[in-house]
Coordinates of all heavy atoms in Angstrom, one line a residue:
M71 N 10.4 -282.9 -152.0 CA 9.1 -282.8 -152.4 C 8.2 -284.0 -152.3 O 8.6 -285.1 -152.6 CB 9.3 -282.4 -154.0 CG 8.0 -281.8 -154.6 SD 8.3 -281.0 -156.2 CE 9.3 -282.1 -157.1
V72 N 7.0 -283.7 -151.8 CA 6.1 -284.9 -151.5 C 5.1 -284.9 -152.5 O 4.2 -284.1 -152.7 CB 5.5 -284.7 -150.0 CG1 4.6 -285.8 -149.7 CG2 6.5 -284.6 -149.0
K73 N 5.0 -286.0 -153.3 CA 4.1 -286.1 -154.4 C 2.8 -286.8 -153.9 O 1.8 -286.8 -154.5 CB 4.7 -286.9 -155.6 CG 5.7 -286.1 -156.3 CD 6.3 -286.7 -157.5 CE 7.3 -285.9 -158.2 NZ 7.8 -286.5 -159.4
N74 N 2.9 -287.6 -152.9 CA 1.8 -288.5 -152.4 C 0.7 -287.6 -151.7 O -0.3 -288.0 -151.5 CB 2.3 -289.5 -151.4 CG 3.1 -290.5 -152.2 OD1 3.0 -290.7 -153.3 ND2 4.0 -291.2 -151.4
S75 N 1.2 -286.4 -151.3 CA 0.2 -285.5 -150.6 C -0.8 -284.8 -151.5 O -1.6 -284.0 -151.0 CB 0.9 -284.5 -149.7 OG 1.6 -283.6 -150.5
L76 N -0.7 -285.0 -152.9 CA -1.5 -284.3 -153.8 C -2.9 -284.8 -153.6 O -3.1 -286.0 -153.4 CB -1.0 -284.4 -155.2 CG 0.4 -283.8 -155.5 CD1 0.8 -284.1 -156.8 CD2 0.4 -282.4 -155.2
I77 N -3.9 -284.0 -153.9 CA -5.3 -284.4 -153.9 C -5.7 -285.2 -154.9 O -5.3 -285.0 -156.1 CB -6.2 -283.1 -153.7 CG1 -5.9 -282.1 -154.7 CG2 -6.0 -282.5 -152.3 CD1 -6.8 -280.9 -154.7
S78 N -6.7 -286.1 -154.8 CA -7.2 -286.8 -155.9 C -8.8 -286.9 -155.7 O -9.4 -287.8 -155.3 CB -6.7 -288.2 -155.9 OG -7.0 -288.9 -154.7
V79 N -9.4 -285.7 -156.0 CA -10.8 -285.5 -155.8 C -11.6 -286.1 -157.0 O -12.6 -286.7 -156.8 CB -11.1 -284.0 -155.7 CG1 -12.6 -283.8 -155.6 CG2 -10.5 -283.5 -154.4
I80 N -11.0 -286.0 -158.1 CA -11.5 -286.5 -159.3 C -11.1 -287.9 -159.7 O -9.9 -288.2 -159.6 CB -11.2 -285.5 -160.6 CG1 -11.6 -284.1 -160.2 CG2 -11.7 -286.0 -161.9 CD1 -11.2 -283.0 -161.3
S81 N -12.0 -288.8 -160.0 CA -11.7 -290.2 -160.2 C -11.1 -290.3 -161.6 O -11.1 -289.4 -162.5 CB -12.9 -291.1 -160.2 OG -13.8 -290.7 -161.4
Q82 N -10.4 -291.4 -161.9 CA -9.6 -291.7 -163.1 C -10.7 -291.6 -164.4 O -10.3 -291.1 -165.4 CB -8.9 -293.0 -163.1 CG -7.9 -293.1 -164.2 CD -6.8 -292.3 -164.0 OE1 -6.5 -291.8 -163.0 NE2 -6.2 -292.0 -165.2
E83 N -11.8 -292.0 -164.2 CA -12.8 -292.0 -165.3 C -13.1 -290.6 -165.7 O -13.3 -290.3 -166.8 CB -14.0 -292.9 -164.9 CG -13.8 -294.3 -164.8 CD -14.9 -295.1 -164.2 OE1 -16.0 -294.4 -163.9 OE2 -14.8 -296.3 -164.1
E84 N -13.4 -289.8 -164.7 CA -13.8 -288.4 -164.9 C -12.6 -287.7 -165.6 O -12.8 -286.8 -166.4 CB -14.1 -287.7 -163.6 CG -15.6 -288.3 -163.1 CD -15.9 -287.7 -161.7 OE1 -15.2 -286.7 -161.4 OE2 -16.8 -288.1 -161.2
K85 N -11.4 -288.1 -165.1 CA -10.2 -287.4 -165.8 C -10.2 -287.6 -167.3 O -9.9 -286.6 -168.1 CB -8.9 -287.9 -165.2 CG -8.7 -287.4 -163.9 CD -7.3 -288.0 -163.3 CE -7.1 -287.4 -161.9 NZ -5.8 -288.0 -161.4
E86 N -10.4 -288.9 -167.7 CA -10.4 -289.2 -169.2 C -11.5 -288.4 -169.9 O -11.5 -288.1 -171.0 CB -10.5 -290.6 -169.3 CG -9.2 -291.5 -168.8 CD -8.0 -291.0 -169.5 OE1 -8.0 -290.7 -170.7 OE2 -6.9 -290.9 -168.8
K87 N -12.7 -288.3 -169.3 CA -13.9 -287.8 -170.0 C -13.8 -286.2 -170.0 O -14.1 -285.7 -171.1 CB -15.1 -288.2 -169.2 CG -16.0 -289.1 -169.9 CD -17.4 -289.2 -169.2 CE -17.3 -289.7 -167.8 NZ -18.6 -290.0 -167.2
N88 N -13.4 -285.5 -168.9 CA -13.6 -284.1 -168.8 C -12.2 -283.4 -168.8 O -12.1 -282.6 -168.0 CB -14.4 -283.8 -167.6 CG -15.7 -284.4 -167.7 OD1 -16.3 -284.6 -168.7 ND2 -16.3 -284.9 -166.6
K89 N -11.3 -283.7 -169.6 CA -10.0 -283.0 -169.6 C -10.1 -281.5 -169.9 O -9.3 -280.8 -169.5 CB -9.0 -283.7 -170.5 CG -8.5 -284.9 -170.0 CD -7.4 -285.4 -170.7 CE -6.9 -286.8 -170.2 NZ -5.7 -287.3 -171.0
G90 N -11.1 -281.1 -170.6 CA -11.2 -279.7 -171.0 C -12.1 -278.9 -170.1 O -12.2 -277.7 -170.2
S91 N -12.8 -279.5 -169.1 CA -13.7 -278.7 -168.3 C -13.0 -277.8 -167.3 O -11.8 -278.1 -167.0 CB -14.5 -279.7 -167.4 OG -13.7 -280.3 -166.4
V92 N -13.7 -276.8 -166.9 CA -13.0 -275.7 -166.0 C -12.7 -276.4 -164.7 O -11.5 -276.1 -164.2 CB -14.0 -274.6 -165.9 CG1 -13.5 -273.6 -164.9 CG2 -14.5 -274.0 -167.2
E93 N -13.5 -277.3 -164.1 CA -13.1 -277.9 -162.9 C -11.9 -278.7 -163.0 O -11.1 -278.7 -162.1 CB -14.3 -278.9 -162.4 CG -15.5 -278.1 -162.0 CD -16.5 -277.9 -163.1 OE1 -16.2 -278.1 -164.3 OE2 -17.7 -277.6 -162.8
F94 N -11.7 -279.5 -164.2 CA -10.5 -280.2 -164.3 C -9.2 -279.4 -164.4 O -8.2 -279.7 -163.9 CB -10.6 -281.2 -165.5 CG -9.5 -282.1 -165.6 CD1 -9.4 -283.3 -164.8 CD2 -8.4 -281.9 -166.6 CE1 -8.3 -284.1 -165.0 CE2 -7.3 -282.7 -166.8 CZ -7.2 -283.8 -165.9
Q95 N -9.4 -278.3 -165.1 CA -8.3 -277.4 -165.3 C -7.9 -276.8 -164.0 O -6.6 -276.7 -163.7 CB -8.5 -276.3 -166.3 CG -8.7 -276.9 -167.7 CD -9.0 -275.8 -168.7 OE1 -8.5 -274.6 -168.6 NE2 -9.9 -276.1 -169.7
V96 N -8.8 -276.4 -163.2 CA -8.6 -275.8 -161.9 C -7.9 -276.8 -161.0 O -6.9 -276.6 -160.2 CB -9.9 -275.2 -161.2 CG1 -9.6 -274.8 -159.8 CG2 -10.4 -274.0 -162.1
F97 N -8.5 -278.0 -161.1 CA -7.8 -279.2 -160.3 C -6.4 -279.3 -160.6 O -5.5 -279.5 -159.7 CB -8.6 -280.4 -160.6 CG -8.0 -281.8 -160.1 CD1 -8.2 -282.0 -158.7 CD2 -7.4 -282.6 -160.8 CE1 -7.6 -283.1 -158.1 CE2 -6.9 -283.7 -160.3 CZ -7.0 -284.0 -158.9
N98 N -6.1 -279.4 -161.9 CA -4.6 -279.6 -162.4 C -3.8 -278.4 -162.0 O -2.6 -278.6 -161.4 CB -4.6 -279.8 -163.8 CG -4.7 -281.1 -164.3 OD1 -4.7 -282.1 -163.6 ND2 -5.0 -281.3 -165.5
F99 N -4.3 -277.1 -162.0 CA -3.5 -276.0 -161.6 C -3.3 -276.0 -160.2 O -2.2 -275.7 -159.6 CB -4.2 -274.7 -162.0 CG -4.1 -274.4 -163.5 CD1 -5.2 -273.8 -164.1 CD2 -3.1 -274.7 -164.2 CE1 -5.1 -273.5 -165.5 CE2 -2.9 -274.4 -165.6 CZ -4.1 -273.8 -166.2
T100 N -4.3 -276.5 -159.4 CA -4.1 -276.6 -157.9 C -3.0 -277.6 -157.5 O -2.2 -277.3 -156.7 CB -5.4 -276.9 -157.3 OG1 -6.4 -275.9 -157.7 CG2 -5.3 -277.0 -155.7
N101 N -3.0 -278.7 -158.3 CA -1.9 -279.7 -158.0 C -0.6 -279.1 -158.3 O 0.4 -279.3 -157.6 CB -2.1 -280.9 -158.8 CG -3.2 -281.8 -158.2 OD1 -3.4 -281.8 -156.9 ND2 -3.7 -282.7 -159.0
K102 N -0.5 -278.4 -159.5 CA 0.9 -277.8 -159.8 C 1.2 -276.7 -158.9 O 2.4 -276.5 -158.5 CB 0.7 -277.2 -161.3 CG 0.6 -278.2 -162.3 CD 0.6 -277.5 -163.7 CE 0.5 -278.5 -164.8 NZ 0.4 -277.9 -166.1
I103 N 0.3 -275.9 -158.4 CA 0.6 -274.9 -157.4 C 1.1 -275.4 -156.1 O 2.1 -275.0 -155.6 CB -0.7 -274.0 -157.2 CG1 -0.9 -273.2 -158.4 CG2 -0.5 -273.1 -156.0 CD1 -2.3 -272.5 -158.3
R104 N 0.5 -276.6 -155.7 CA 1.0 -277.1 -154.5 C 2.3 -277.8 -154.6 O 3.2 -277.8 -153.7 CB -0.1 -278.2 -154.0 CG -1.3 -277.5 -153.5 CD -2.4 -278.4 -152.8 NE -3.4 -277.6 -152.4 CZ -4.6 -278.1 -152.3 NH1 -4.9 -279.3 -152.5 NH2 -5.6 -277.3 -151.8
R105 N 2.6 -278.4 -155.7 CA 3.9 -278.9 -156.0 C 5.0 -277.9 -156.1 O 6.1 -278.0 -155.4 CB 3.9 -279.6 -157.3 CG 4.4 -281.2 -157.2 CD 4.3 -281.9 -158.5 NE 3.1 -281.8 -159.2 CZ 2.9 -281.5 -160.4 NH1 3.9 -281.3 -161.3 NH2 1.7 -281.6 -161.1
L106 N 4.7 -276.7 -156.8 CA 5.7 -275.7 -156.8 C 5.9 -275.0 -155.5 O 7.0 -274.6 -155.3 CB 5.1 -274.7 -157.9 CG 5.5 -275.0 -159.4 CD1 4.8 -273.9 -160.3 CD2 7.0 -275.0 -159.6
T107 N 4.9 -274.9 -154.7 CA 5.0 -274.2 -153.4 C 6.0 -275.1 -152.5 O 6.9 -274.5 -151.9 CB 3.6 -274.1 -152.8 OG1 2.8 -273.4 -153.6 CG2 3.6 -273.4 -151.4
S108 N 5.7 -276.4 -152.5 CA 6.6 -277.2 -151.7 C 8.1 -277.2 -152.3 O 9.1 -277.2 -151.5 CB 6.2 -278.6 -151.6 OG 6.2 -279.3 -153.0
H109 N 8.2 -277.0 -153.7 CA 9.5 -277.0 -154.2 C 10.2 -275.6 -153.7 O 11.4 -275.7 -153.4 CB 9.5 -276.9 -155.7 CG 10.7 -276.6 -156.4 ND1 11.8 -277.5 -156.6 CD2 11.0 -275.5 -157.1 CE1 12.8 -276.9 -157.3 NE2 12.3 -275.6 -157.6
L110 N 9.5 -274.6 -153.8 CA 10.1 -273.3 -153.4 C 10.3 -273.1 -151.9 O 11.1 -272.2 -151.5 CB 9.1 -272.2 -153.9 CG 9.0 -272.0 -155.4 CD1 7.9 -271.0 -155.8 CD2 10.4 -271.5 -155.9
E111 N 9.8 -273.9 -151.1 CA 10.1 -273.9 -149.7 C 11.6 -274.4 -149.5 O 12.3 -274.0 -148.6 CB 9.2 -274.8 -148.8 CG 7.8 -274.1 -148.8 CD 6.8 -275.1 -148.1 OE1 7.2 -276.2 -147.7 OE2 5.7 -274.6 -147.8
L112 N 12.0 -275.3 -150.4 CA 13.4 -275.9 -150.5 C 14.3 -274.9 -151.1 O 15.5 -274.7 -150.7 CB 13.4 -277.2 -150.9 CG 12.6 -278.3 -150.2 CD1 12.7 -279.6 -151.0 CD2 13.3 -278.5 -148.8
H113 N 13.9 -274.4 -152.3 CA 14.7 -273.6 -153.2 C 14.2 -272.2 -153.3 O 13.5 -271.9 -154.3 CB 14.8 -274.3 -154.6 CG 15.1 -275.7 -154.4 ND1 16.4 -276.2 -154.4 CD2 14.3 -276.8 -154.5 CE1 16.4 -277.5 -154.3 NE2 15.2 -278.0 -154.5
R114 N 14.5 -271.4 -152.3 CA 13.9 -270.1 -152.3 C 14.3 -269.1 -153.4 O 13.7 -268.2 -153.8 CB 14.3 -269.4 -150.9 CG 13.7 -270.0 -149.8 CD 13.9 -269.3 -148.5 NE 13.4 -270.0 -147.3 CZ 12.2 -270.1 -146.9 NH1 11.2 -269.5 -147.6 NH2 11.9 -270.9 -145.8
K115 N 15.6 -269.3 -154.0 CA 16.1 -268.4 -154.9 C 15.8 -269.0 -156.5 O 16.4 -268.5 -157.4 CB 17.5 -268.2 -154.8 CG 17.8 -267.5 -153.5 CD 19.2 -266.9 -153.4 CE 19.4 -266.1 -152.2 NZ 20.7 -265.5 -152.2
D116 N 14.9 -269.9 -156.6 CA 14.5 -270.3 -157.8 C 13.5 -269.5 -158.5 O 12.4 -269.7 -158.4 CB 14.0 -271.8 -157.8 CG 13.8 -272.4 -159.1 OD1 14.0 -271.8 -160.2 OD2 13.4 -273.6 -159.2
Y117 N 14.0 -268.5 -159.3 CA 13.2 -267.3 -159.6 C 12.3 -267.8 -160.9 O 11.2 -267.2 -161.0 CB 14.0 -266.1 -160.0 CG 14.8 -265.5 -158.8 CD1 16.1 -265.6 -158.7 CD2 14.0 -265.1 -157.7 CE1 16.8 -265.0 -157.6 CE2 14.6 -264.7 -156.6 CZ 16.0 -264.7 -156.5 OH 16.7 -264.2 -155.4
L118 N 12.8 -268.7 -161.7 CA 12.0 -269.3 -162.8 C 10.8 -269.9 -162.3 O 9.7 -269.9 -162.8 CB 12.9 -270.0 -163.7 CG 13.9 -269.3 -164.6 CD1 14.7 -270.3 -165.4 CD2 13.2 -268.3 -165.5
S119 N 10.9 -270.6 -161.3 CA 9.8 -271.4 -160.7 C 8.8 -270.5 -160.1 O 7.7 -270.7 -160.1 CB 10.3 -272.4 -159.7 OG 11.0 -273.4 -160.3
Q120 N 9.4 -269.4 -159.5 CA 8.6 -268.4 -158.9 C 7.7 -267.7 -159.9 O 6.5 -267.5 -159.8 CB 9.3 -267.3 -158.1 CG 9.9 -267.8 -156.8 CD 10.7 -266.7 -156.2 OE1 10.7 -265.5 -156.6 NE2 11.5 -267.1 -155.2
R121 N 8.3 -267.5 -161.1 CA 7.6 -266.9 -162.2 C 6.4 -267.8 -162.7 O 5.3 -267.3 -163.0 CB 8.6 -266.5 -163.3 CG 7.9 -265.9 -164.5 CD 8.9 -265.4 -165.5 NE 8.3 -264.7 -166.6 CZ 8.1 -265.3 -167.8 NH1 8.5 -266.5 -168.0 NH2 7.5 -264.6 -168.8
G122 N 6.8 -269.1 -162.9 CA 5.8 -270.1 -163.3 C 4.7 -270.2 -162.4 O 3.5 -270.3 -162.8
L123 N 5.0 -270.2 -161.1 CA 3.9 -270.2 -160.1 C 3.0 -269.0 -160.2 O 1.8 -269.2 -160.1 CB 4.5 -270.3 -158.7 CG 3.6 -270.2 -157.4 CD1 2.7 -271.5 -157.4 CD2 4.3 -270.1 -156.2
R124 N 3.5 -267.8 -160.4 CA 2.7 -266.6 -160.5 C 1.8 -266.8 -161.8 O 0.6 -266.4 -161.8 CB 3.5 -265.4 -160.6 CG 4.0 -265.0 -159.2 CD 4.6 -263.6 -159.3 NE 5.7 -263.4 -160.2 CZ 7.0 -263.6 -159.9 NH1 7.3 -263.9 -158.6 NH2 7.9 -263.3 -160.7
K125 N 2.3 -267.3 -162.8 CA 1.6 -267.6 -164.1 C 0.4 -268.5 -163.8 O -0.6 -268.2 -164.3 CB 2.4 -267.9 -165.3 CG 3.4 -266.9 -165.7 CD 4.3 -267.4 -166.8 CE 3.5 -267.4 -168.1 NZ 4.4 -267.7 -169.3
I126 N 0.7 -269.6 -163.2 CA -0.3 -270.5 -162.9 C -1.4 -270.1 -162.0 O -2.6 -270.3 -162.2 CB 0.3 -271.9 -162.5 CG1 1.1 -272.4 -163.5 CG2 -0.8 -272.9 -161.9 CD1 2.0 -273.7 -163.0
L127 N -1.0 -269.3 -161.0 CA -1.9 -268.6 -160.0 C -2.8 -267.7 -160.9 O -4.1 -267.6 -160.6 CB -1.2 -267.9 -159.0 CG -0.6 -268.6 -157.9 CD1 0.2 -267.9 -157.0 CD2 -1.8 -269.3 -157.0
G128 N -2.3 -266.9 -161.7 CA -3.2 -266.0 -162.6 C -4.2 -266.8 -163.4 O -5.4 -266.4 -163.5
K129 N -3.7 -267.9 -164.0 CA -4.6 -268.6 -164.9 C -5.8 -269.3 -164.0 O -7.0 -269.3 -164.4 CB -3.8 -269.8 -165.5 CG -2.9 -269.3 -166.7 CD -2.2 -270.6 -167.3 CE -1.3 -270.2 -168.3 NZ -0.6 -271.4 -169.0
R130 N -5.4 -269.8 -162.9 CA -6.4 -270.4 -162.0 C -7.4 -269.3 -161.5 O -8.5 -269.6 -161.5 CB -5.8 -271.1 -160.8 CG -6.8 -271.8 -159.9 CD -6.2 -272.6 -158.8 NE -5.8 -271.5 -157.7 CZ -5.4 -271.9 -156.6 NH1 -5.1 -273.2 -156.3 NH2 -5.1 -271.0 -155.7
Q131 N -6.9 -268.2 -161.2 CA -7.8 -267.0 -160.8 C -8.7 -266.7 -161.9 O -9.9 -266.4 -161.6 CB -6.9 -265.9 -160.4 CG -7.6 -264.7 -159.7 CD -6.8 -263.6 -159.3 OE1 -5.6 -263.5 -159.7 NE2 -7.3 -262.7 -158.6
R132 N -8.3 -266.6 -163.1 CA -9.1 -266.2 -164.2 C -10.2 -267.3 -164.4 O -11.3 -267.0 -164.7 CB -8.4 -266.0 -165.4 CG -7.5 -264.7 -165.4 CD -7.0 -264.3 -166.8 NE -6.0 -265.3 -167.3 CZ -4.7 -265.4 -167.1 NH1 -4.2 -264.4 -166.4 NH2 -4.0 -266.2 -167.6
L133 N -9.7 -268.6 -164.3 CA -10.8 -269.6 -164.5 C -11.8 -269.7 -163.5 O -13.0 -269.9 -163.8 CB -10.0 -271.0 -164.5 CG -9.4 -271.5 -165.9 CD1 -8.5 -272.7 -165.7 CD2 -10.4 -271.7 -166.9
L134 N -11.4 -269.4 -162.2 CA -12.3 -269.4 -161.1 C -13.3 -268.2 -161.2 O -14.5 -268.3 -160.9 CB -11.6 -269.3 -159.8 CG -11.0 -270.6 -159.3 CD1 -10.1 -270.5 -158.1 CD2 -12.0 -271.7 -159.0
A135 N -12.8 -267.1 -161.7 CA -13.7 -265.9 -161.9 C -14.6 -266.3 -163.0 O -15.9 -265.9 -162.9 CB -12.9 -264.7 -162.4
Y136 N -14.3 -267.0 -164.1 CA -15.2 -267.2 -165.2 C -16.2 -268.3 -164.6 O -17.4 -268.1 -164.9 CB -14.4 -268.0 -166.3 CG -15.3 -268.8 -167.2 CD1 -16.0 -268.0 -168.3 CD2 -15.5 -270.0 -167.2 CE1 -16.7 -268.7 -169.2 CE2 -16.2 -270.7 -168.1 CZ -16.9 -270.0 -169.1 OH -17.6 -270.7 -170.1
L137 N -15.8 -269.3 -163.9 CA -16.8 -270.3 -163.3 C -17.8 -269.6 -162.2 O -18.9 -270.0 -162.3 CB -16.0 -271.4 -162.6 CG -16.9 -272.6 -162.1 CD1 -17.5 -273.2 -163.3 CD2 -16.0 -273.5 -161.4
S138 N -17.3 -268.7 -161.5 CA -18.1 -268.1 -160.6 C -19.2 -267.2 -161.2 O -20.3 -267.0 -160.8 CB -17.4 -267.2 -159.6 OG -16.8 -266.0 -160.3
K139 N -18.9 -266.6 -162.4 CA -19.9 -265.8 -163.3 C -20.9 -266.7 -163.9 O -22.0 -266.4 -164.0 CB -19.2 -264.9 -164.3 CG -18.4 -263.8 -163.7 CD -17.7 -263.1 -164.8 CE -16.8 -262.0 -164.2 NZ -16.0 -261.4 -165.3
K140 N -20.4 -267.9 -164.4 CA -21.3 -268.7 -165.2 C -22.1 -269.7 -164.3 O -23.3 -269.9 -164.6 CB -20.4 -269.6 -166.2 CG -19.8 -268.8 -167.2 CD -20.7 -268.3 -168.2 CE -20.1 -267.6 -169.3 NZ -21.1 -266.9 -170.2
N141 N -21.5 -270.3 -163.3 CA -22.3 -271.3 -162.5 C -21.8 -271.1 -161.1 O -20.8 -271.8 -160.8 CB -22.1 -272.6 -163.1 CG -23.1 -273.7 -162.5 OD1 -23.7 -273.5 -161.4 ND2 -23.3 -274.7 -163.2
R142 N -22.6 -270.5 -160.2 CA -22.1 -270.2 -158.9 C -22.2 -271.5 -158.0 O -21.3 -271.7 -157.1 CB -23.1 -269.2 -158.3 CG -22.6 -268.6 -157.0 CD -21.3 -267.6 -157.3 NE -21.0 -267.0 -156.1 CZ -20.0 -266.2 -156.0 NH1 -19.2 -266.1 -157.1 NH2 -19.7 -265.5 -154.9
V143 N -23.1 -272.5 -158.3 CA -23.2 -273.7 -157.6 C -21.9 -274.5 -157.8 O -21.2 -275.0 -156.9 CB -24.5 -274.5 -157.9 CG1 -24.5 -275.8 -157.3 CG2 -25.6 -273.6 -157.5
R144 N -21.5 -274.7 -159.0 CA -20.3 -275.4 -159.3 C -19.1 -274.8 -158.8 O -18.2 -275.5 -158.3 CB -20.2 -275.6 -160.9 CG -21.1 -276.6 -161.5 CD -21.1 -276.7 -162.9 NE -19.8 -276.7 -163.6 CZ -19.6 -276.4 -164.9 NH1 -20.6 -276.1 -165.6 NH2 -18.4 -276.4 -165.4
Y145 N -19.0 -273.5 -158.8 CA -17.9 -272.8 -158.2 C -17.8 -273.1 -156.7 O -16.7 -273.4 -156.3 CB -18.1 -271.3 -158.5 CG -17.1 -270.4 -157.7 CD1 -15.8 -270.3 -158.2 CD2 -17.5 -269.8 -156.6 CE1 -14.9 -269.4 -157.5 CE2 -16.6 -269.0 -155.9 CZ -15.3 -268.7 -156.4 OH -14.5 -268.0 -155.6
K146 N -18.9 -273.0 -156.0 CA -18.8 -273.2 -154.6 C -18.5 -274.7 -154.2 O -17.7 -274.9 -153.3 CB -20.1 -272.8 -153.9 CG -20.3 -271.3 -153.9 CD -21.5 -270.9 -153.1 CE -21.5 -269.4 -153.1 NZ -22.6 -268.9 -152.1
E147 N -19.0 -275.6 -155.0 CA -18.6 -277.1 -154.9 C -17.1 -277.2 -155.0 O -16.5 -278.0 -154.3 CB -19.4 -277.9 -155.8 CG -20.9 -278.1 -155.4 CD -21.6 -278.9 -156.4 OE1 -21.0 -279.4 -157.4 OE2 -22.8 -279.0 -156.3
L148 N -16.6 -276.7 -156.1 CA -15.2 -276.8 -156.4 C -14.3 -276.2 -155.4 O -13.3 -276.9 -154.8 CB -14.9 -276.2 -157.8 CG -13.5 -276.4 -158.3 CD1 -13.2 -277.9 -158.6 CD2 -13.2 -275.7 -159.6
I149 N -14.6 -275.0 -154.9 CA -13.8 -274.3 -153.8 C -13.9 -275.2 -152.5 O -12.9 -275.4 -151.9 CB -14.5 -273.0 -153.6 CG1 -14.3 -272.1 -154.6 CG2 -13.8 -272.4 -152.3 CD1 -12.9 -271.8 -155.1
G150 N -15.0 -275.9 -152.2 CA -15.2 -276.6 -151.0 C -14.3 -277.9 -151.2 O -13.6 -278.4 -150.2
Q151 N -14.3 -278.6 -152.4 CA -13.6 -279.8 -152.6 C -12.0 -279.6 -152.6 O -11.4 -280.3 -152.0 CB -13.9 -280.5 -154.0 CG -15.3 -281.1 -154.0 CD -15.5 -281.6 -155.5 OE1 -14.9 -281.2 -156.4 NE2 -16.6 -282.5 -155.6
L152 N -11.7 -278.5 -153.1 CA -10.2 -278.3 -153.3 C -9.6 -277.5 -152.1 O -8.4 -277.5 -151.8 CB -9.9 -277.5 -154.6 CG -10.2 -278.2 -155.9 CD1 -9.8 -277.3 -157.0 CD2 -9.4 -279.5 -155.9
D153 N -10.5 -276.9 -151.3 CA -10.1 -276.2 -150.1 C -9.0 -275.2 -150.4 O -8.0 -275.1 -149.8 CB -9.6 -277.2 -149.0 CG -9.5 -276.5 -147.7 OD1 -10.3 -275.7 -147.3 OD2 -8.6 -276.8 -146.9
I154 N -9.4 -274.3 -151.3 CA -8.5 -273.2 -151.7 C -8.8 -271.8 -151.4 O -7.9 -270.9 -151.5 CB -8.2 -273.4 -153.3 CG1 -9.6 -273.3 -154.1 CG2 -7.5 -274.6 -153.7 CD1 -9.4 -273.2 -155.7
R155 N -10.0 -271.6 -150.9 CA -10.3 -270.2 -150.5 C -11.1 -270.4 -149.1 O -11.7 -271.3 -148.9 CB -11.3 -269.6 -151.5 CG -10.6 -269.4 -152.8 CD -11.0 -268.1 -153.4 NE -10.3 -268.0 -154.7 CZ -10.7 -267.3 -155.6 NH1 -11.8 -266.6 -155.6 NH2 -10.0 -267.2 -156.8
E156 N -10.8 -269.3 -148.3 CA -11.4 -269.3 -147.0 C -12.9 -268.8 -147.2 O -13.1 -267.9 -148.0 CB -10.7 -268.2 -146.2 CG -9.3 -268.6 -145.8 CD -9.2 -269.9 -144.9 OE1 -10.0 -269.9 -144.1 OE2 -8.3 -270.6 -145.2
P157 N -13.8 -269.4 -146.5 CA -15.2 -268.9 -146.6 C -15.4 -267.5 -145.9 O -14.7 -267.2 -145.0 CB -16.0 -270.0 -145.8 CG -15.0 -270.6 -144.9 CD -13.7 -270.5 -145.5
K158 N -16.1 -266.6 -146.6 CA -16.2 -265.3 -146.1 C -17.3 -265.2 -145.0 O -18.2 -265.8 -145.0 CB -16.9 -264.4 -147.3 CG -15.8 -264.2 -148.3 CD -16.5 -263.3 -149.4 CE -15.5 -263.1 -150.6 NZ -15.9 -262.2 -151.6
T159 N -16.8 -264.6 -143.9 CA -17.7 -264.5 -142.8 C -18.0 -263.0 -142.5 O -17.1 -262.2 -142.5 CB -17.1 -265.0 -141.4 OG1 -15.8 -264.5 -141.3 CG2 -16.9 -266.6 -141.7
R160 N -19.2 -262.7 -142.2 CA -19.6 -261.3 -142.0 C -20.3 -261.2 -140.6 O -20.9 -262.0 -140.1 CB -20.5 -260.9 -143.1 CG -19.7 -260.7 -144.4 CD -20.7 -260.1 -145.4 NE -19.9 -259.9 -146.7 CZ -20.4 -259.4 -147.8 NH1 -21.6 -259.1 -147.8 NH2 -19.6 -259.3 -148.9

């Protein structure tokens, strides 16, 4: 498991100030998801970790849906920073 490859978009001062913000929560869930994904690549039959990953994915999805409804600009900035969704092309 590689811990150094985790993203650090939010500075330390912002972490202390905004621990309850939607952006910070999505940032933390994204780090956990990436950590669990790398863990599951090594341990394919770890079903409890798979369940935890699905729960975290659901929480992040609900937070992103809330943010997209409340503030579309902040949502798009966060998606761009974390690089978690593909841009839609038509």
